[in-house]
Amino acid sequence: MTESTARDGEHRTTLLRGGEVHSPADPFATAMVVERGHIAWVGSEGAADAFADGVDEIIDLEGALVTPAFTDAHVHTTSTGLALTGLDLTRARSLAEALVLVRKHSAGHPAGAVVIGHGWDAARWPERRHPSRAELDEASGARPLYLTRIDVHSAVVTTALLDLVPGVAELTGYRPDAPLTGAAHHAVRRAAHAAITPAQREAAQRAALEHAASLGIGTVHECAGPDISDEDDFTALLALARSGSTPRVVGYWAEAVTDAKDARRVRELGAAGAAGDLFVDGSLGSHTACLHAPYADAAHTGAAHLDAAAIAAHVTVCTEAGLQAGFHAIGDAALTAVVEGVRAAAQTLGLARVRAARHRVEHAEMLTPETIAAFAEFALTASVQPAFDEAWGGEEGMYAQRLGAERARTLNPYAALLRAGVPLALGSDSPVTPLDPWGTVRAAAFHRTPEHRISVRAAFTAHTRGGWRATGRDDAGVLVPGAPADYALWRTGELVVQAPDDRVARWSTDPRSGTPGLPDLTPGNELPLCLRTVVSGQTIWTHQM
């Protein structure tokens, strides 16, 4: 890829040419002009000649693909950075291997220093059990240690960390030698995170955002809240993103609001909404998602944190304040509570006002035809993570262990959501699953349950434009004149059209359809390599050859 500069200026005008530009404005576009942080023109190579003498910079794409930058609609930035730079157990293949990693990592910390790690998943280990407290005490050298399960809804800890949390044994979710959940988990998390210095926090945030940029992600939705991080972490991240050298960050603060004063405080934090991980329930992996019928491998139905009345109150106050509301809901009972609460708010405020607010639901895994119809009725955005199905779906996966195969097959019904007209926004929930946008699109298109598959184009749109629409913006996430110049350049193979229905795919490749192609994401194929990521016309990441 080569560049030439015609002249310098505060607001540079750039012509990109000689590639493939993914744009609905021109499905055969090979060139694009960027001016003052926005797309100014998209078109053919021949027409690009008319712009060449009037721009500040010309980039020869040398056949590269240009697409809108991705938006990851659900990220925990600091935790992602800590996993990238610290103790990451996501690749541990056994309990024994995880304990070796704990031992090696802890040895690099002073005695008494708090050690934080993430990513253990006993469901994948041959031992089929979590590490005991005694094992962690020994492996950590008696240091305070906090290790979150892969879903971050439970954690195992050492005795030394429990000693830093007086009264923890009396809190809900405490069990002497089992993963901590609920209030006990939140308490030990606060104690562990309190040991992170501002410098360590900034380093973690920078690492996460740089990694996102290297993957062609131009925007992340930070899902923060008092049970997840703290206000200093949240405001520091938003300040870092305003520097202009990182992906933009849209912040959500997951705290229930009961009046206009609460709503103002959320807005004053810099949040786009009182949404994200406002927990209606927990997770399937930790047996804390709230179900209508008991788990297949546990004699209970999980945990409910908000009922329909509390949900209705939150949605009502947020809607009246012009603030986006949202919830974390995974189990079918939790999603029923969300729908009932939103319906009650709509009866108070009117359906049009609730729809216009574009409230959102994170994860939304265990949907039924009735709750899908309600999502469409109330214009609720489903902020979903296809990598969950890739990691835990299938006949032998964790979902089937927790729910039985029949119920597990109903999870993450993306095709049904799209057929009903429910807005989709794709994300990773990083560090629960990795930042990996093309992998996320592939997971949606090649869902383990075939009837839930959607086309690559639909998944790509949900991971680009869908993320912007989830924040109330309809003018972004697409390469058309007037849109923000958030884009990525990719080295990739042949461009194709992939859809679950072969008849659709054949028609889409006909030139008469005007459907621009995308990389071939068939499992086993190499994913595209990001060459450059640009936000508002400013390059935030370039691949070093």
Side-chain angles (χ1 to χ4, degrees):
M1 185 174 303
T2 58
E3 304 177 20
S4 61
T5 301
R7 62 180 182 271
D8 294 327
E10 181 180 357
H11 297 288
R12 299 177 64 79
T13 300
T14 301
L15 168 64
L16 299 91
R17 64 186 305 177
E20 300 281 350
V21 179
H22 185 88
S23 172
D26 183 346
F28 309 108
T30 61
M32 182 172 78
V33 173
V34 174
E35 185 175 24
R36 294 178 179 269
H38 288 76
I39 309 299
W41 171 84
V42 175
S44 66
E45 190 65 25
D49 290 336
F51 294 95
D53 292 336
V55 300
D56 302 304
E57 180 183 32
I58 298 174
I59 298 177
D60 182 354
L61 295 168
E62 299 179 0
L65 172 66
V66 186
T67 72
F70 285 102
T71 292
D72 192 310
H74 194 119
V75 174
H76 303 286
T77 307
T78 303
S79 294
T80 297
L82 290 172
L84 287 169
T85 60
L87 176 54
D88 182 1
L89 299 180
T90 55
R91 291 179 174 82
R93 293 166 295 184
S94 66
L95 170 59
E97 186 174 319
L99 290 171
V100 168
L101 293 172
V102 170
R103 189 173 292 108
K104 289 181 177 178
H105 187 80
S106 298
H109 289 69
V114 175
V115 179
I116 297 175
H118 165 73
W120 62 270
D121 187 358
R124 296 182 177 181
W125 293 343
E127 298 91 344
R128 294 283 179 171
R129 68 172 180 85
H130 61 83
S132 70
R133 188 171 303 159
E135 288 169 329
L136 292 177
D137 285 347
E138 186 279 326
S140 67
R143 292 171 177 82
L145 172 68
Y146 170 72
L147 288 181
T148 47
R149 190 186 180 277
I150 187 68
D151 58 9
V152 200
H153 282 269
S154 59
V156 289
V157 301
T158 57
T159 303
L161 183 60
L162 290 175
D163 290 343
L164 299 177
V165 189
V168 66
E170 282 71 52
L171 296 177
T172 303
Y174 176 86
R175 290 175 291 172
D177 198 22
L180 304 179
T181 61
H185 177 209
H186 297 158
V188 297
R189 172 160 48 194
R190 281 191 293 271
H193 285 184
I196 300 172
T197 68
Q200 290 171 324
R201 179 178 63 208
E202 180 178 343
Q205 292 173 346
R206 285 190 181 278
L209 293 176
E210 181 176 353
H211 183 55
S214 76
L215 298 169
I217 297 171
T219 301
V220 300
H221 295 181
E222 166 68 11
C223 292
D227 289 333
I228 300 165
S229 52
D230 58 42
E231 292 183 9
D232 288 343
D233 182 275
F234 183 63
T235 56
L237 174 63
L238 296 181
L240 176 61
R242 287 193 294 270
S243 70
S245 60
T246 74
R248 65 164 51 80
V249 176
V250 178
Y252 287 96
W253 186 251
E255 187 167 9
V257 299
T258 57
D259 55 30
K261 181 179 178 182
D262 288 344
R264 279 196 305 274
R265 195 180 70 80
V266 169
R267 198 184 299 279
E268 287 166 359
L269 284 174
D277 280 331
L278 181 52
F279 296 119
V280 178
D281 67 346
S283 74
L284 291 166
S286 291
H287 290 99
T288 52
C290 190
L291 313 181
H292 283 305
Y295 284 87
D297 59 351
H300 61 82
T301 56
H305 302 306
L306 292 175
D307 60 16
I311 291 164
H314 181 75
V315 171
T316 299
V317 172
C318 286
T319 304
E320 289 178 329
L323 193 65
Q324 200 174 18
F327 306 92
H328 162 119
I330 287 179
D332 52 0
L335 288 160
T336 296
V338 168
V339 165
E340 290 177 350
V342 175
R343 178 171 285 113
Q347 290 169 351
T348 300
L349 301 171
L351 178 61
R353 288 185 69 186
V354 169
R355 286 179 59 88
R358 301 194 188 189
H359 303 309
R360 54 190 283 171
V361 181
E362 310 301 314
H363 315 309
E365 293 199 78
M366 208 171 170
L367 290 157
T368 64
E370 293 74 23
T371 48
I372 291 172
F375 268 51
E377 179 185 1
F378 302 126
L380 297 173
T381 295
S383 172
V384 299
Q385 297 74 39
F388 286 9
D389 172 74
E390 183 180 39
W392 303 312
E395 297 296 314
E396 305 297 326
M398 182 270 289
Y399 289 153
Q401 295 171 26
R402 294 290 185 269
L403 302 172
E406 183 176 352
R407 278 194 294 177
R409 281 192 290 269
T410 69
L411 263 60
N412 302 303
Y414 304 139
L417 286 164
L418 286 182
R419 284 195 300 269
V422 176
L424 282 186
L426 303 192
S428 62
D429 198 8
S430 180
V432 174
T433 59
L435 297 168
D436 179 15
W438 286 115
T440 295
V441 172
R442 178 160 63 189
F446 294 90
H447 197 295
R448 288 180 180 272
T449 305
E451 58 263 38
H452 298 331
R453 292 174 180 171
I454 60 178
S455 69
V456 166
R457 184 186 182 194
F460 177 79
T461 299
H463 213 350
T464 50
R465 196 170 193 179
W468 283 90
R469 285 175 165 168
T471 68
R473 292 278 301 271
D474 293 327
D475 61 340
V478 62
L479 301 182
V480 297
D486 285 29
Y487 60 91
L489 311 186
W490 305 93
R491 180 188 299 150
T492 187
E494 180 185 3
L495 303 183
V496 299
V497 175
Q498 291 177 297
D501 188 325
D502 287 342
R503 293 168 300 172
V504 174
R506 286 198 300 272
W507 165 246
S508 298
T509 56
D510 189 307
R512 292 171 295 173
S513 73
T515 302
L518 284 165
D520 185 347
L521 301 183
T522 302
N525 283 2
E526 188 175 349
L527 294 175
L529 173 68
C530 184
L531 303 175
R532 180 179 302 200
T533 305
V534 177
V535 172
S536 295
Q538 301 297 313
T539 298
I540 62 168
W541 190 84
T542 302
H543 177 65
Q544 300 301 313
M545 303 298 288

